[in-house]
Amino acid sequence: MSETESFVCRNQSCGTPWEQSEVVIKNEGQGPLFRCPLCGARNYLEQFEDDEGNVVYEQVDGKPFL
Ligand SMILES: [Zn+2]
């Protein structure tokens, strides 16, 4: 697997891979997430900063802790 921040829709009947640039990341109050452009499933993310201070996202399984 390469180092790109690619995501996979967690909806098992969808499972479409997305690049970060292909999805809209927003925060609805439970942390960052994107909605799959194909099926609309919520996919939760965790936000990090890399060594250069850039914001990067990593996909998490299910819902993040509340
Ligand atoms: Zn999907």
Side-chain angles (χ1 to χ4, degrees):
M1 206 167 145
S2 72
E3 208 217 323
T4 63
E5 290 90 27
S6 52
F7 307 136
V8 177
C9 177
R10 72 189 183 94
N11 180 353
Q12 287 186 343
S13 63
C14 178
T16 306
W18 302 101
E19 295 297 323
Q20 187 169 316
S21 59
E22 294 177 306
V23 299
V24 179
I25 296 171
K26 54 187 175 179
N27 192 329
E28 296 179 346
Q30 298 179 334
L33 61 84
F34 74 91
R35 278 181 179 272
C36 177
L38 209 58
C39 74
R42 282 189 176 89
N43 290 274
Y44 290 94
L45 304 171
E46 209 171 325
Q47 185 176 321
F48 297 96
E49 275 187 19
D50 68 13
D51 294 339
E52 290 159 4
N54 300 308
V55 174
V56 294
Y57 293 97
E58 206 165 278
Q59 194 169 357
V60 296
D61 291 328
K63 286 193 175 194
F65 63 88
L66 296 175

